[in-house]
Amino acid sequence: MNNDELDKCSETVQNVLKEHERKEKEITELLIATKAILKSNDFRITARQVFDSCAKVIGAKSGYVALLSDDGQENELLFLEDGGMPCSVNPALPMPIRGLREEAYRSGKVVFDNNFMKSEWVKFMPKGHMSLRNVLFSPLNIDNKTVGIMGFACKDGDFTENDAKLAAAFGDYAAIALQNSKNLEELNASNITKDRFFSIVAHDLKSPFSSLLFLSEILEKESKKTKNEKIIEYSSLLYQTLTKTFDYLNNLLDWSRLQTNRIEYSPSWFKLSDLTKEITSVLLLQAQNKKISFRLNVPDKLEIFADKNMIKTVLINLVSNAIKYSYPKGEVCISSVQKTKGILVRVEDNGIGISSANIEKLFRIEQSFATPGTENESGTGLGLILCQEFIKKHNGQIGVESELKKGSTFWFNLPTIENN
Ligand code: ADP
């Protein structure tokens, strides 16, 4: 190989290496922009990253990102990068859609001009604007409509078709980011409305419901004096139905409060045995109706540090489930033991049990799994989910062991404060 041939060969190699380097830079910047889209739902942050990456690969020094105003008449500037060049135009001035930018909006495609100061568009440039050697506009298209634009300018050389292709890809990225942030905004707004509606309904139902419950309790007691079987039966039914519905309403209210972070975890020391006694007395009538007995095995001296209201809700749910899914004359046992790492509480029944396939469906909001009780009591599938949320607030765990037709043991543990 002579020297000329060697030079040519080395030149080709250099060109291939340069091309390789360029491609590598393009891929790196595309990846950086992709990450930005995945990481942030804030369009301002993502748009800046997408703009910077695009400017880097196409070699532009200045530019901006703007969105179309609601009336579709002008650009609303999101940010401007002057690339350190002097420009005395106030960025707050309106940016009507005209000139080369209008072309990009109309066609939905990238447009560029490498001799901008001599182009027909220059007449639209406001006074005091920095001189622009060249410009390139990349539209942000959502559902075939251009809703914003990325403008680039002042490349040292000329913008090329390859730059246009890349800018179109980055424009699509920015459009995806914009769509994502709009979707999220809508989702948040509808979520807030739903939460508000839900908590207002639950809250406003609670006080008339408490009065109804109170009255039905008096009625249930008084009815016994009448010795009228029908009145006694209906009053008892009314009282029980209202009690269950009230429990459900409380669960719903707690759930909505949890979702909107309106339930504060406020732990204190209390005796678990006192709480279990309180709960079994509240649920006594429910148990007596099915001739179910309670067995309590909670050491009197066992004190726990936990949020009493949350643990009360958990136990009410677990114990009333144990009654609901027990056969008549069954037994429900509540026990607890102190372990090295915390305490373990178990609510055990010898009722209908749960198949292993159905166990998989428990504690999952998306499954909404519920079956009727042994006396056809209705279920909502919300109780266990709520229990799980409350136990999680204590850094504890909740679970179940069960065998069909033999019974179930729901358990939860609460770590000692050192682990909390
Ligand atoms: P609900 O009891 O209102 O249906 P839960 O979330 O408390 O809602 O329970 C979900 C489902 O788990 C119940 O419908 C039932 O199928 C099952 N389950 C819960 N506790 C027991 C239990 N002790 N024995 C058998 N099945 C149970």
Side-chain angles (χ1 to χ4, degrees):
M1 212 182 263
N2 61 31
N3 273 355
D4 272 1
E5 282 170 334
L6 261 179
D7 281 351
K8 227 180 195 150
C9 211
S10 135
E11 198 187 316
T12 314
V13 170
Q14 294 290 334
N15 283 342
V16 169
L17 281 177
K18 253 193 215 150
E19 179 64 12
H20 180 74
E21 226 170 72
R22 198 171 59 81
K23 285 273 170 231
E24 203 174 87
K25 197 166 132 196
E26 286 172 13
I27 292 169
T28 309
E29 292 303 330
L30 279 164
L31 276 176
I32 291 174
T34 312
K35 264 195 211 154
I37 295 174
L38 293 173
K39 234 165 90 181
S40 169
N41 286 310
D42 183 338
F43 181 63
R44 273 175 190 279
I45 297 173
T46 323
R48 180 75 220 203
Q49 184 57 66
V50 173
F51 171 88
D52 286 349
S53 287
C54 185
K56 220 183 219 175
V57 286
I58 66 175
K61 291 206 182 72
S62 61
Y64 62 84
V65 173
L67 296 179
L68 189 63
S69 60
D70 286 341
D71 62 8
Q73 298 304 307
E74 60 184 53
N75 263 337
E76 283 169 354
L77 193 69
L78 205 67
F79 66 85
L80 175 83
E81 172 54 68
D82 62 15
M85 284 168 275
C87 182
S88 57
V89 177
N90 179 358
L93 280 178
M95 285 172 83
I97 310 293
R98 61 186 182 192
L100 188 56
R101 233 176 16 221
E102 189 185 0
E103 289 277 293
Y105 268 101
R106 205 173 29 77
S107 66
K109 298 214 162 71
V110 171
V111 290
F112 63 93
D113 193 311
N114 279 319
N115 204 356
F116 190 70
M117 295 320 276
K118 296 224 168 83
S119 72
E120 55 176 309
W121 319 114
V122 81
K123 60 178 182 280
F124 296 117
M125 213 155 100
K127 268 204 185 103
H129 199 291
M130 65 169 120
S131 163
L132 299 176
R133 181 187 151 87
N134 43 29
V135 293
L136 181 148
F137 291 112
S138 172
L140 274 54
N141 301 322
I142 294 181
D143 296 334
N144 295 325
K145 187 175 182 279
T146 300
V147 291
I149 207 152
M150 288 202 288
F152 298 94
C154 304
K155 177 177 174 151
D156 276 344
D158 280 351
F159 284 121
T160 63
E161 282 305 327
N162 191 53
D163 291 338
K165 241 193 254 169
L166 284 164
F170 281 103
D172 287 345
Y173 271 26
I176 292 170
L178 182 61
Q179 179 75 72
N180 283 353
S181 78
K182 281 187 175 169
N183 288 348
L184 194 78
E185 251 170 51
E186 274 170 27
L187 199 69
N188 280 344
S190 79
N191 230 358
I192 289 169
T193 315
K194 183 210 72 194
D195 284 341
R196 201 166 289 154
F197 173 77
F198 191 70
S199 64
I200 288 172
V201 170
H203 183 264
D204 288 1
L205 277 178
K206 211 176 155 175
S207 84
F209 226 104
S210 325
S211 318
L212 275 181
L213 191 62
F214 180 61
L215 286 175
S216 74
E217 192 179 353
I218 296 175
L219 192 66
E220 202 256 348
K221 279 186 192 133
E222 292 296 314
S223 68
K224 290 184 181 135
K225 294 183 192 158
T226 68
K227 307 233 165 30
N228 181 324
E229 288 298 315
K230 281 278 168 231
I231 292 182
I232 297 172
E233 186 193 335
Y234 292 151
S235 315
S236 163
L237 197 66
L238 181 71
Y239 176 55
Q240 282 173 49
T241 312
L242 283 176
T243 310
K244 273 185 226 148
T245 319
F246 192 59
D247 284 348
Y248 176 44
L249 192 65
N250 275 328
N251 274 350
L252 273 181
L253 196 57
D254 280 350
W255 173 250
S256 93
R257 284 204 192 114
L258 256 180
Q259 297 310 302
T260 47
N261 286 326
R262 282 180 296 127
I263 288 196
E264 247 181 60
Y265 165 74
S266 63
S268 61
W269 283 103
F270 62 92
K271 276 192 178 177
L272 187 63
S273 58
D274 289 346
L275 187 64
T276 46
K277 277 176 208 150
E278 185 188 329
I279 282 159
T280 46
S281 78
V282 170
L283 297 172
L284 193 64
L285 187 71
Q286 215 174 305
Q288 278 173 346
N289 282 331
K290 286 173 102 171
K291 301 197 169 49
I292 287 165
S293 55
F294 287 126
R295 188 154 54 88
L296 302 186
N297 200 354
V298 180
D300 251 351
K301 57 179 186 329
L302 183 68
E303 290 208 25
I304 64 169
F305 186 72
D307 186 305
K308 196 169 175 184
N309 284 330
M310 292 189 192
I311 301 301
K312 186 173 171 183
T313 304
V314 171
L315 281 170
I316 287 192
N317 272 291
L318 297 185
V319 177
S320 59
N321 275 349
I323 299 170
K324 186 155 100 183
Y325 298 102
S326 278
Y327 302 110
K329 298 188 185 149
E331 185 187 69
V332 172
C333 173
I334 308 169
S335 61
S336 75
V337 274
Q338 177 81 57
K339 301 250 172 183
T340 37
K341 286 189 170 170
I343 75 144
L344 175 71
V345 181
R346 295 153 64 94
V347 176
E348 213 169 327
D349 65 65
N350 46 12
I352 59 172
I354 314 166
S355 70
S356 39
N358 285 343
I359 286 181
E360 301 285 308
K361 298 178 191 160
L362 301 180
F363 305 107
R364 292 168 65 178
I365 185 89
E366 73 284 3
Q367 283 277 350
S368 126
F369 174 73
T371 55
T374 48
E375 302 213 319
N376 222 16
E377 301 100 314
S378 60
T380 62
L382 186 65
L384 290 180
I385 290 158
L386 194 62
C387 293
Q388 174 168 253
E389 294 289 336
F390 282 154
I391 297 299
K392 266 198 217 156
K393 290 250 173 211
H394 289 78
N395 286 333
Q397 292 152 320
I398 185 164
V400 58
E401 284 144 24
S402 187
E403 203 177 323
L404 265 183
K405 295 189 183 145
K406 293 253 168 80
S408 310
T409 300
F410 280 83
W411 58 265
F412 64 87
N413 59 34
L414 303 171
T416 39
I417 355 168
E418 295 92 73
N419 301 322
N420 256 337

